[in-house]
Amino acid sequence: RFTVRQGRAAKFEKRWADRSSRLAELDGFKYFQLMRRVALDDEANSGIDPLASTNPFGNYVSFTIWNEKKDFNAWRGGEAFKEAHGGTSLFAFVTTMVKSAMVLTGAPKPAFYDGLLQQSTIPDHVPETVNGWRSVEADGVNLLPSEAFIACNQFFVPSSNAVAFENRWANRTSKLKECEGFISFSMLRRDIKAKGHGVSPMGEEEPTYVSTTVWKDRQAFENWKNGNAFKEAHAEKKGEEPKEQPQQPPAPLWSKPPVPVFYESTLVISSPDGA
């Protein structure tokens, strides 16, 4: 998670476009995208400036899906990680840190998740990579073209309700794969035991779960939201006998209402099997 300084977004994206990385060639790699936050006109967060540098959780996210945690750990502990983060020499590392300070407000905030209930489609087109990374022209003045649209819901679920929350999602009806423009879905569960450089303990203000749905574009998302698949997924089960109302209503599964967050992505890299 990155907080990019006001007016530096295009420079930040250029740094990502110009970096050296063998990501697509690594064992266990599935999907990558650089996500920049956007706002919708009719949603709860529409009043924000999505690229403002004041949001505590940042305005950009580098989002990588690995087949297994061991694949991620192998990358993080190998030479490919060093190459992608400034090279293996001290001079290259210091140069990278200086450039980051000019573009970012504060240090990146890593967060790691276990992916649950993963769904994805086989892509009909896989973006071309050169030596494991996208070859994209970036001028540092204009933002890179949007390649996908991402709808997230942040859930604040106490650990005592985690099993019930996951069961509710596992038992719900989903027809996402039947929807035009659907790419992938993940229910992300925060890995609070993860350690590493820059990783800090998770605060109460951070979500414990994040549903993340990737669409071909915003129109595909709007079509789903206004269609029958959305209504069926969010409707109560019908045909069941009404249950006797308990004297004490059950506690809600989350400590506060879910928070919707939206992104568009660029520099998408995908395995042939998709996310």
Side-chain angles (χ1 to χ4, degrees):
R1 302 171 294 180
F2 304 89
T3 302
V4 178
R5 295 179 183 273
Q6 195 79 24
R8 299 297 181 91
K11 293 184 180 298
F12 176 74
E13 293 183 7
K14 177 175 171 57
R15 287 188 55 200
W16 277 85
D18 293 347
R19 75 189 306 186
S20 298
S21 177
R22 292 183 276 128
L23 191 62
E25 299 177 349
L26 301 178
D27 291 339
F29 168 78
K30 298 189 70 175
Y31 191 85
F32 170 86
Q33 58 190 356
L34 181 64
M35 299 159 47
R36 58 178 173 243
R37 187 165 177 176
V38 297
L40 300 190
D41 296 337
D42 59 348
E43 295 292 344
N45 66 351
S46 62
I48 68 167
D49 177 358
L51 292 183
S53 56
T54 57
N55 188 283
F57 302 114
N59 43 29
Y60 276 83
V61 175
S62 63
F63 181 78
T64 312
I65 299 177
W66 297 90
N67 189 48
E68 296 182 69
K69 189 177 294 186
K70 67 178 184 179
D71 299 317
F72 162 73
N73 289 334
W75 165 75
R76 188 167 59 163
E79 291 300 311
F81 177 88
K82 296 177 183 178
E83 294 170 4
H85 290 78
T88 55
S89 71
L90 179 61
F91 175 77
F93 177 77
V94 172
T95 300
T96 299
M97 293 301 99
V98 171
K99 290 181 178 178
S100 294
M102 297 173 63
V103 174
L104 301 178
T105 299
K109 297 180 179 180
F112 306 103
Y113 300 85
D114 295 318
L116 313 177
L117 307 175
Q118 181 74 18
Q119 298 184 57
S120 65
T121 57
I122 302 296
D124 53 14
H125 169 72
V126 176
E128 183 179 358
T129 59
V130 178
N131 297 323
W133 190 248
R134 290 287 299 279
S135 178
V136 175
E137 291 293 330
D139 59 15
V141 177
N142 300 291
L143 296 178
L144 294 174
S146 173
E147 299 177 16
F149 182 85
I150 302 96
C152 299
N153 250 335
Q154 299 178 340
F155 296 94
F156 304 82
V157 181
S159 58
S160 57
N161 293 338
V163 173
F165 177 80
E166 293 178 12
N167 287 339
R168 177 178 294 183
W169 275 85
N171 293 329
R172 74 187 303 183
T173 300
S174 175
K175 295 185 178 180
L176 285 173
K177 284 190 173 183
E178 300 175 13
C179 298
E180 186 71 25
F182 169 75
I183 295 177
S184 73
F185 170 86
S186 304
M187 173 56 74
L188 304 179
R189 178 179 60 202
R190 183 70 178 267
D191 182 359
I192 59 175
K193 297 181 180 180
K195 298 180 181 180
H197 179 72
V199 178
S200 57
M202 188 182 73
E204 293 183 356
E205 75 283 1
E206 297 193 58
T208 49
Y209 291 85
V210 182
S211 65
T212 303
T213 312
V214 183
W215 298 92
K216 178 181 179 181
D217 50 34
R218 177 171 172 176
Q219 187 58 56
F221 164 73
E222 296 285 357
N223 292 344
W224 166 78
K225 189 176 70 169
N226 297 321
N228 291 330
F230 176 88
K231 297 176 183 177
E232 292 178 10
H234 292 78
E236 296 183 0
K237 292 183 178 181
K238 298 181 179 180
E240 295 183 351
E241 291 295 329
K243 298 180 179 179
E244 183 180 350
Q245 186 71 20
Q247 293 182 354
Q248 293 294 332
L253 294 182
W254 42 77
S255 57
K256 66 178 182 179
V259 177
V261 184
F262 304 95
Y263 301 88
E264 57 187 12
S265 69
T266 191
L267 297 176
V268 172
I269 303 174
S270 176
S271 70
D273 295 329

